[in-house]
Each structure stands twice: as structure tokens, then as C-alpha cells.
Amino acid sequence: MLVLGIETTCDETAAAVVERSGDGRGKILSNIVLSQDSEHAAFGGVVPEIAARAHVEALDLIIAKAMAQAGCGYFALDGVAAAAGPGLIGGVIVGLMTAKAIALVERKPLIAVNHLEAHALTARLTDATSFPYCLFLASGGHTQIVAVRGVGDYVRLGTTVDDAIGEAFDKTAKLLGLGYPGGPLVEKEAAHGNAARFSLPRPMQGRKDADFSLSGLKTALRLEAEKIAPLSDQDVADLCASFQQAVVDVVIDRLRAGLRLFRARYGAPTALVAAGGVAANQAVRNVLQRLAVEVGTALVVPPLELCTDNGAMIAWAGCERLTLGMVDTLDVMPRARWPLDNVAAAKGKLQRTAAYK
Ligand code: KG4
Ligand code: ZN
């Protein structure tokens, strides 16, 4: 089975071809990612309008490259998958419409993939992880703990009530004048900083649920920085180290709660799986390893280029869905919001319905 996957929900224009063999194993034939980082750097974050335009300009070429590198013609594809949300709607439209055009012209099934589902299923592409497993997804746009029970069967155990973890790293970097994207820059500074110098809060710590809150931490950091301004290089390093330590402590506590919820409802997970750009952070990886040992499960951290946004994860999710006959019609809509969790999705629908009454 050969599937083309297209990803345009944020600031990466990406396309890939993935092959799924009869035994269920996946193989990446091509995986082309064009990052728009430089176009957004001046603004310290992703500008939706700039992102959408950049996707329009680049996507055709990125798909052509992915097809050429995979060495297959469109006729050889078994399906065309695109991330249909959640994400910045301009970009989502570009990717989904392109996929629809290819599917229509080549008479191939279309698979509208939830971007979060693609992150969730990546561990099955890289490590053939079996269900059910516990996913920790931490990126610039999402912070979630999810019970992955099967294809299309996800239960959100925890989420952030405000900022995503990656977003908190990015905002910290912006505040300290480090640049964008902030995660790697904050981590680099933290390496030679004193994590004990500033006492920052650990929001939500000790709660029974598995939710996160990051915005208070960010504000506390700003107040500490303002108190000692102007900042020396060592001040910046110490602030970064203190911030990163607070995040790590929060991740341990919230994931521990998430894993407890998982075990109570579904028994032991086959693995703790990490996804999203924040999984690149070594301090975060260390605590994930510690937690996995603590609960006696395997830790699966896909290679970094598959943790961050890419086309291979969309193509793979397409393979998984196509195998089960879960295909979409050409009138499927792009979605800015699209909860992964069926219950959460239903709740959202009810709330929307209520709002119209
Ligand atoms: O998954 P991703 O590439 O894109 C989405 O947001 O979907 O994640 C990017 C996020 C950014 O917020 C970036 O600052 C963060 O992941 N990040 C990191 C590190 N590398 C990337 N955060 C902390 N430490 C890092 N080393
Ligand atoms: Zn993502």
C-alpha cells in the first residue's frame, strides 16, 4: 500500500510517500519538509497569513519532490492523505484542496487526517507499537496526554488550559530576546544556568486530573526578569534554567497523573510515547525515561524529524485508516478546531448547538 501524505497545518510545508506492507510495517520512501522558520522569525511566532501564502507557493514543488524521491508515479498510489485540521485554517485549506485535486484527477481515495492523530500513530510507523499506549504530545500548538486505544479511538486524559509547552518556551525566548523558535535556544542557555536561582511556580502540581497550565509560569518569569533588568548573559542563562526546571517538574507531575488515569481505566500501557517538538528537549526526554522506568513501561521517542511536523506521519495515518476502509469523500471540510477525542468532540458539538439556541 502506497500513500502520499500532505501536511500544511502550521509552518511546515511537507509531503511524503509511505509504504505499508502486508505485515503492517511501514517504510518511508520520501519525506520532504520545508520549514518557514525564517519567514516568521522577525515576528517571534507563526503569522497565519504569511504561513498560508508560503504553503501556496511551495506545496506543488514539495509534493513533486516527494513523488520523485519515492520513485513512483501518481498512478501507483493507493490513496492521498492530507491533514484536514486542527491548525491555521489558511494552511489547512491549501493542503486539503491540493490533496482533493490529486485524488479527483488520479481517481484515488482521499483520507482526511486529524493532525493530532498523525502524531499519535507515528510510534506505530517507527516502532510498530501496539495498542493501547499513552501519548505525551507537546509542541508549539498542543500539550496533551492521550490514551491511544486503536485507530480512531483516542481518549484525551489531559490538556493545557492555556498555553502549550512549546509556546511557553517560545514566549520565554521572545521575552529574553533569544529568537525563534525558542525551545532549542532556551535549552542551550539553560545548559549553563543555575536552575535554583529563581523560584518559579509549578502550576497544577498535585492535582488529580492530568491538565496543564503554563501561562502563570510565563508571567512569573517575566516579573523576575523585570525585577533584575537590565539582564546580564548569566541572568538570561539562570532564567532559562529556572524556567526549564519548572517545566520539567510540571511534566513529571502531570504525566504521572495521566499515567495513573490511564492505568485505572485501561490497564498497563504498552508504552509511553513522546511526540511534538518539545520531545527534542534533553531534560524533558530524561524525565520521560524516568517515568517510563517508574511505571514499568517502554519509552518510545520517534526520531526528531518524525516528532516534529512532517508529511510521513500524515501518510502513515492515511495508511492506517485506508487499511480499515476509513476513507473520506471530496466534500470533507478543513477544520481549524478538531479535537482528537470522540467525547471531547461530541461535547464541543453540543456546546456549539446550545450556542445557536
Ligand atoms: O512539533 P513542532 O515542530 O511544531 C508544532 O508546534 O506543531 O514543535 C515546535 C515547538 C516550538 O514551540 C519549539 O520551541 C519547541 O517545539 N521545541 C522545543 C525544543 N525544540 C523545539 N522546546 C523545548 N526544547 C527544545 N529543544
Ligand atoms: Zn504538530
Side-chain angles (χ1 to χ4, degrees), residues 216-228:
L217 177 55
K218 179 194 64 196
T219 308
L221 180 103
R222 180 171 54 76
L223 295 176
E224 292 292 343
E226 282 170 3
K227 260 192 245 164
I228 56 163

Side-chain angles (χ1 to χ4, degrees), residues 7 9 115 119 137 139 142 276 307-309 313:
E7 159 60 38
T9 61
H115 175 92
H119 275 304
L137 170 63
S139 69
H142 306 282
C307 274
T308 55
D309 291 351
M313 69 178 189

Side-chain angles (χ1 to χ4, degrees), residues 56-76:
V56 172
E57 282 165 17
L59 187 57
D60 285 356
L61 191 64
I62 296 297
I63 293 173
K65 263 194 186 165
M67 293 299 291
Q69 208 177 85
C72 74
Y74 289 100
F75 63 88

Side-chain angles (χ1 to χ4, degrees), residues 11-101:
D11 62 342
E12 264 93 25
T13 312
V17 178
V18 168
E19 182 179 31
R20 186 182 195 272
S21 51
D23 61 2
R25 299 300 296 239
K27 188 173 166 198
I28 299 172
L29 302 188
S30 63
N31 191 23
I32 312 287
V33 181
L34 176 71
S35 169
Q36 303 173 0
D37 277 353
S38 59
E39 302 189 43
H40 301 286
F43 305 96
V46 180
V47 183
E49 189 60 20
I50 293 177
R53 282 164 195 262
H55 287 306
V56 172
E57 282 165 17
L59 187 57
D60 285 356
L61 191 64
I62 296 297
I63 293 173
K65 263 194 186 165
M67 293 299 291
Q69 208 177 85
C72 74
Y74 289 100
F75 63 88
L77 294 173
D78 295 290
V80 182
L88 302 174
I89 196 65
V92 178
I93 292 172
V94 173
L96 184 59
M97 291 307 289
T98 305
K100 283 182 180 182

